[in-house]
Amino acid sequence: GSHDTMTYCLDKSSAVSGNESKLVKFLNKCLPCIVRPIIMKWSITQILTVTEQLEAGVRYLDFRIAHKANDPSMNLYFVHMVYTTVTVQDILWEILRWLETHPQEVVIIACRNFDGLTKRLHNHLVACIKEIFQCKLCPRNVVPTLRTMWHLGHQVIVSYEEDVELEKHCELWPPIPYWWGNKTSTRALIRYLERMKRMGRPEKFFVAGINLTENLRYILVHPFGSLKKMTLRSLPCLKIWIKQQNPGPKKKSINIIAGDFIGNNDFVKDVIELNRKINLPLHC
């Protein structure tokens, strides 16, 4: 999985998200030449496009969806402090084109955040999802084994963090829990993930996020830092942790693992290799 999948195309000139604090908005308005570069350095979590991420092996996409304040149109964007240059609809079509050339691949799309979405905009978003993917959408009453999905032609599972829409549409799946450590250090993040494992895995899909998170103190102490530098320093230790994990149904098993800058340090390869622990070679 990729955490905050769409941050590779954040718009440098866009307004700050309505979800951000009044202080951030005020500073951005008063000192844009200083504040905006800092925002960009700590907001970008991916550098590969969504197609490149799919080609690399990512199968869980973390979509933070928003509607710009005072925008009279129905256009929806992705957001992480600022908005993206591309619309949600354009990216859904891009995913469809990739799926049509990879008919045996399955993608999980987690629709989250919904900053500024009204009931009308939710209806519009769900209608777009259904119009674009059509029969490729896997209804939530299907047990999604690969064999079943291949047989039925399903390739997309959409989780949706909005209860009203879930009740109305069988094509939408409940929100997928995301283990977010909110830590600035690798050791603290690993301790958090191990603590969550001891509590026991959820019965269905869930995500272990190996992404570090900055805070104001960390940014002030590292004035020349960035989220990319922070992430790359953590990858060697996280690589060791990933290789120690076991997928499957046991209490301490891992399901989806999502990270930042997924094109670095064999992250995708290491996660996929974990499947060998449950798919043992057949002996004739």
Side-chain angles (χ1 to χ4, degrees), residues 50-52 54-55 59 92-107 133 136 150 153 155-156:
V50 71
T51 297
E52 289 170 340
L54 292 168
E55 287 288 340
R59 294 296 178 268
L92 295 179
W93 282 113
E94 185 176 339
I95 294 169
L96 176 67
R97 289 192 292 271
W98 188 85
L99 289 170
E100 286 175 337
T101 59
H102 299 79
Q104 287 194 305
E105 297 298 329
V106 174
V107 173
F133 294 120
K136 290 187 183 297
W150 290 339
Q155 287 185 268
V156 183

Side-chain angles (χ1 to χ4, degrees), residues 10 45 54 66 76 142 172 203 219 237 261:
L10 293 177
T45 66
L54 292 168
L76 298 175
V142 172
L172 302 179
E203 291 183 3
I219 293 173
C237 287
F261 302 101

Side-chain angles (χ1 to χ4, degrees), residues 20-206:
E20 298 305 320
S21 68
K22 291 180 180 179
L23 177 60
V24 171
K25 293 177 187 175
F26 175 75
L27 292 174
N28 182 63
K29 189 174 182 180
C30 296
L31 302 165
C33 295
I34 298 172
V35 175
R36 183 51 62 107
I38 294 173
I39 287 175
M40 297 304 294
K41 284 198 306 179
W42 295 98
S43 296
I44 295 172
T45 66
Q46 306 295 339
I47 54 174
L48 300 183
T49 69
V50 71
T51 297
E52 289 170 340
Q53 291 180 39
L54 292 168
E55 287 288 340
V58 165
R59 294 296 178 268
Y60 167 89
L61 304 174
D62 176 19
F63 282 176
R64 316 292 177 91
I65 297 173
H67 182 257
K68 293 180 180 179
N70 305 317
D71 182 357
S73 76
M74 300 282 283
N75 290 336
L76 298 175
Y77 296 86
F78 304 96
V79 67
H80 191 213
M81 293 196 75
V82 293
Y83 302 98
T84 55
T85 55
V86 299
T87 65
V88 172
Q89 201 165 359
D90 288 342
I91 293 300
L92 295 179
W93 282 113
E94 185 176 339
I95 294 169
L96 176 67
R97 289 192 292 271
W98 188 85
L99 289 170
E100 286 175 337
T101 59
H102 299 79
Q104 287 194 305
E105 297 298 329
V106 174
V107 173
I108 299 172
I109 300 175
C111 296
R112 312 168 63 195
N113 194 83
F114 300 133
D115 177 17
L117 264 69
T118 60
K119 183 179 179 181
R120 181 165 169 253
L121 288 167
H122 274 293
N123 290 337
H124 171 65
L125 174 57
V126 175
C128 287
I129 291 170
K130 293 170 75 170
E131 176 195 355
I132 291 168
F133 294 120
Q134 298 186 25
C135 62
K136 290 187 183 297
L137 286 172
C138 178
R140 62 176 176 267
N141 62 346
V142 172
V143 178
T145 66
L146 283 176
R147 183 172 285 120
T148 299
M149 295 188 75
W150 290 339
H151 176 70
L152 298 174
H154 300 321
Q155 287 185 268
V156 183
I157 292 172
V158 176
S159 81
Y160 205 88
E161 290 192 354
E162 170 57 47
D163 291 341
V164 174
E165 299 303 320
L166 277 175
E167 292 175 6
K168 292 192 294 186
H169 303 280
C170 67
E171 297 88 351
L172 302 179
W173 288 60
I176 295 174
Y178 193 107
W179 290 357
W180 176 50
N182 193 19
K183 306 296 183 184
T184 58
S185 82
T186 313
R187 286 186 179 183
L189 175 61
I190 290 173
R191 282 198 299 269
Y192 163 80
L193 292 171
E194 288 298 318
R195 185 168 67 251
M196 295 300 289
K197 281 171 58 183
R198 286 195 296 273
M199 292 169 62
R201 60 154 295 167
E203 291 183 3
K204 300 181 181 179
F205 292 122
F206 73 99

